[in-house]
Amino acid sequence: MASACTNLTGATRLVRLLRIEGFSATGSMDGGQFMTSRWNVGGHDWGIRIYPAAKGASSTGSFWVVLQLVNNSPMGATACRASLACRVIDPTAELKPSREKIVTDYNFGYRDQENRYLILMSRDELASSGYLKDDTLTLQCTITVLNVLPVPTIRAEEVPTTIPDEEEATAVLLPSNLHQHLGELLQSETGADVTFLVCGESFAAHKNILAARSPVFKAEFFGGMKEECSRQVEIKDMEAATFRAMLHFIYTDTVPELDQPLELAVMMAQHLLAGADRYGLDRLKLICEIKLANGITVDTAATTLALAEQHNFSQLKAKCVEFIISTPAVLDAVLETEGYEHLAASCPSVLANLLKSARARKN
């Protein structure tokens, strides 16, 4: 009797290294805040959400690094099952990789779509593990996608039993696209009830959304201030491009301007940091801090140090000081920049501490 082998599934696997620089700064993120890495595996668009400071369920106050796999494929995409695996890597190879954690049975494309989490390691355990190198966490993540192949055509006499009817497996649960809808609302200006004037440009917005995201806007529009009844508000001491980026973040929780080449991104982050602090946008402040910490150069160090002092970012301030006094050549180069002149004029106490630290390292 002739026999044949028929593949019923197709598996695709992709492995990547993900780095989180400035890991210590992520400790101030709320438990529900995350960073996303975009992947394309098995014909599907995926996102790995990394929650760097998820709150533990116990009363000990522990915080954990947690991952979640999200399918961003559009409606109608082929159903599939997938798994997410992750372990911590030492890029210097001095330590062996941590034990791999894996979450299986993600079921995408059906009504019972999974929404599970991979609990990797506590922040306290990471801090003492030796895996953090230069305040950078390196993760090795693996996505495995199991696609269900079309049922092959087989002659009736070869089929010992009937195949169950699976027509119910057609509903698709879409990932959240709230940010996209709010971004379209901002762009269309539908229902806008306030207009901001910034450096000659006008921006239409919605008071309710602004108030939900910013305690300052909430106080202005619903706290008895004069702006409460106003349909036009002038914003001073802020550039139009900065306000546009801040407004886009308020509606979508994203900052595309920070994905520009590093020099432009750092410049925007410097301006956005001041705006975020002004309007109480803590998540945007943290995003800007991370971008600035990863973009410290001779040209930006003094300006970033001044911002860190003005907005009370102690870790960013320490990183700037460490860079400036790292070598006599770097210190001399920073002293020649315009940013240093601004630092000397606006933050004399910081300048004194900087020079004191430089003398201490020299000795």
Side-chain angles (χ1 to χ4, degrees), residues 18-219:
L18 304 180
R19 286 193 297 272
I20 303 177
E21 298 179 343
F23 179 76
S24 59
T26 66
S28 60
M29 294 176 67
D30 292 338
Q33 295 178 335
F34 56 86
M35 298 165 286
T36 301
S37 173
R38 304 289 183 182
W39 301 47
N40 189 289
V41 188
H44 295 261
D45 292 322
W46 303 94
I48 294 181
R49 294 179 177 177
I50 303 174
Y51 300 81
K55 182 69 171 66
S58 66
S59 59
T60 60
S62 298
F63 292 87
W64 298 77
V65 177
V66 175
L67 289 79
Q68 180 188 20
L69 183 64
V70 178
N71 192 343
N72 295 319
S73 298
M75 179 183 295
T78 305
C80 69
R81 303 189 74 89
S83 67
L84 170 65
C86 184
R87 57 184 178 178
V88 185
I89 297 294
D90 176 8
T92 67
E94 295 176 0
L95 300 175
K96 293 182 179 180
S98 69
R99 183 172 64 88
E100 188 174 60
K101 301 287 185 68
I102 185 168
V103 176
T104 59
D105 294 333
Y106 281 99
N107 186 15
F108 295 99
Y110 295 103
R111 292 196 187 107
D112 59 341
Q113 176 174 342
E114 297 286 348
N115 191 28
R116 302 175 63 189
Y117 297 88
L118 188 156
I119 302 175
L120 184 61
M121 192 179 294
S122 73
R123 293 184 66 92
D124 291 339
E125 186 179 358
L126 271 173
S128 59
S129 66
Y131 284 115
L132 292 176
K133 305 294 184 181
D134 297 325
D135 200 23
T136 297
L137 175 64
T138 304
L139 306 178
Q140 178 183 293
C141 294
T142 304
I143 296 178
T144 303
V145 178
L146 188 68
N147 288 298
V148 179
L149 300 179
V151 177
T153 301
I154 306 175
R155 292 195 304 274
E157 60 267 23
E158 297 179 5
V159 183
T161 59
T162 59
I163 298 176
D165 184 3
E166 296 186 358
E167 63 179 359
E168 291 184 358
T170 57
V172 177
L173 181 59
L174 292 174
S176 173
N177 56 357
L178 177 61
H179 65 286
Q180 178 182 345
H181 289 166
L182 290 178
E184 293 171 353
L185 182 66
L186 173 64
Q187 186 175 9
S188 68
E189 303 182 2
T190 302
D193 55 359
V194 64
T195 300
F196 294 94
L197 300 179
V198 188
C199 293
E201 294 189 37
S202 60
F203 301 88
H206 307 77
K207 291 181 178 180
N208 282 332
I209 294 177
L210 298 174
R213 298 280 281 165
S214 162
V216 177
F217 280 130
K218 183 177 181 180

Side-chain angles (χ1 to χ4, degrees), residues 342-360:
H342 171 71
L343 175 67
S346 60
C347 305
S349 60
V350 175
L351 179 61
N353 291 333
L354 176 64
L355 297 177
K356 182 178 179 181
S357 300
R359 286 196 297 270

Side-chain angles (χ1 to χ4, degrees), residues 125-322:
E125 186 179 358
L126 271 173
S128 59
S129 66
Y131 284 115
L132 292 176
K133 305 294 184 181
D134 297 325
D135 200 23
T136 297
L137 175 64
T138 304
L139 306 178
Q140 178 183 293
C141 294
T142 304
I143 296 178
T144 303
V145 178
L146 188 68
N147 288 298
V148 179
L149 300 179
V151 177
T153 301
I154 306 175
R155 292 195 304 274
E157 60 267 23
E158 297 179 5
V159 183
T161 59
T162 59
I163 298 176
D165 184 3
E166 296 186 358
E167 63 179 359
E168 291 184 358
T170 57
V172 177
L173 181 59
L174 292 174
S176 173
N177 56 357
L178 177 61
H179 65 286
Q180 178 182 345
H181 289 166
L182 290 178
E184 293 171 353
L185 182 66
L186 173 64
Q187 186 175 9
S188 68
E189 303 182 2
T190 302
D193 55 359
V194 64
T195 300
F196 294 94
L197 300 179
V198 188
C199 293
E201 294 189 37
S202 60
F203 301 88
H206 307 77
K207 291 181 178 180
N208 282 332
I209 294 177
L210 298 174
R213 298 280 281 165
S214 162
V216 177
F217 280 130
K218 183 177 181 180
E220 289 183 358
F221 295 134
F222 301 100
M225 300 177 67
K226 64 179 182 180
E227 287 84 355
E228 183 173 350
C229 300
S230 176
R231 294 185 60 86
Q232 186 168 292
V233 177
E234 183 178 3
I235 302 294
K236 299 180 180 179
D237 302 324
M238 185 180 296
E239 296 180 0
T242 304
F243 186 82
R244 182 184 297 106
M246 187 182 75
L247 198 60
H248 186 272
F249 171 82
I250 288 174
Y251 278 72
T252 69
D253 215 37
T254 62
V255 195
E257 291 82 359
L258 297 186
D259 294 330
Q260 303 177 92
L262 186 60
E263 182 178 353
L264 296 176
V266 168
M267 187 179 302
M268 175 57 74
Q270 290 174 343
H271 293 298
L272 272 178
L273 179 63
D277 190 43
R278 176 175 175 178
Y279 288 99
L281 302 171
D282 291 339
R283 174 171 164 78
L284 180 57
K285 286 169 63 176
L286 180 59
I287 292 173
C288 292
E289 181 189 13
I290 294 173
K291 177 62 68 172
L292 291 173
N294 293 331
I296 298 175
T297 65
V298 167
D299 293 328
T300 65
T303 302
T304 300
L305 177 57
L307 283 170
E309 171 67 15
Q310 293 164 2
H311 300 284
N312 196 30
F313 280 109
S314 58
Q315 292 181 350
L316 179 59
K317 178 180 174 181
K319 196 162 186 178
C320 289
V321 171
E322 181 181 358

